Amino acid sequence: MSQYALGHVVTINALRESTNSSTKGLFVQFRFQNFFINQDMTYTNEDGTNSYGFVPFGFSGVTVNRTGDGMEATLVFPNNDLSRGWAVLAIRDHYVVEVKVLIVDSINPSSGTHTSVHSYTGQITGGTWDNVSLNLQVSSVLDAVGTDIPRRALTKKLVGNLPVANNVRLQ
């Protein structure tokens, strides 16, 4: 009989804003794993070999139906001063999250040979906390109609002058 150990790694990225186009883009803020308690885990993927520190968290809610609509996923962390400190920034600045479900080599956390089963990438669109847990809502850009992703507003810079009357005709 085969036994499999499943764990998650999460990479939380912030968007770097800069006037110089070469420094714009995502940069990694945090890397967490939820399998090896009080240990770092090494995982090798297309981005190279990275180390993930232990944080107890849960990941749930990813579903897709026949029409391809995605539902919000949720990342659940313990509510403490450390998690609230970065979570408020992540919610406010709409950090991008990548969660991978792995088949974990449960004996050797530093082997780097863990196998990826599934990957989910989304943007943090909201969050709540209570006495025990901190919940981050993560939405996929694939369901832009059902949620407010991408978060854009019509501005003069984007679309030019906007009409002030409702009687508009195209010629």
Side-chain angles (χ1 to χ4, degrees):
M1 182 167 134
S2 297
Q3 291 185 349
Y4 294 99
L6 296 176
H8 297 93
V9 293
V10 61
T11 305
I12 302 172
N13 303 294
L15 183 62
R16 177 182 289 147
E17 297 291 335
S18 173
T19 55
N20 181 354
S21 63
S22 66
T23 60
K24 281 188 175 182
L26 295 175
F27 68 97
V28 173
Q29 287 288 96
F30 306 101
R31 287 189 178 97
F32 302 131
Q33 55 90 11
N34 66 355
F35 190 82
F36 296 102
I37 299 171
N38 294 329
Q39 296 181 45
D40 287 347
M41 180 180 96
T42 303
Y43 174 59
T44 304
N45 62 8
E46 61 275 356
D47 297 332
T49 302
N50 294 304
S51 181
Y52 294 80
F54 174 75
V55 171
F57 69 90
F59 176 66
S60 65
V62 178
T63 59
V64 177
N65 62 21
R66 288 181 302 191
T67 61
D69 300 342
M71 300 294 291
E72 274 190 346
T74 303
L75 278 168
V76 181
F77 291 90
N79 183 7
N80 56 37
D81 291 338
L82 293 174
S83 62
R84 275 194 317 272
W86 62 263
V88 170
L89 290 174
I91 295 166
R92 185 191 70 201
D93 296 340
H94 308 294
Y95 285 7
V96 175
V97 173
E98 181 181 20
V99 180
K100 292 191 179 197
V101 180
L102 304 176
I103 297 175
V104 178
D105 177 1
S106 60
I107 297 170
N108 188 2
S110 60
S111 70
T113 59
H114 314 293
T115 306
S116 177
V117 176
H118 175 71
S119 178
Y120 178 81
T121 303
Q123 186 175 30
I124 297 175
T125 57
T128 60
W129 65 71
D130 56 26
N131 291 336
V132 177
S133 63
L134 183 142
N135 302 306
L136 297 176
Q137 283 80 39
V138 182
S139 294
S140 170
V141 295
L142 297 176
D143 187 21
V145 175
T147 58
D148 26 285
I149 303 255
R151 291 183 180 268
R152 299 195 72 163
L154 295 177
T155 63
K156 187 174 182 176
K157 182 178 177 184
L158 287 175
V159 297
N161 291 329
L162 297 173
V164 293
N166 63 357
N167 187 10
V168 178
R169 289 187 289 153
L170 298 176
Q171 297 181 9

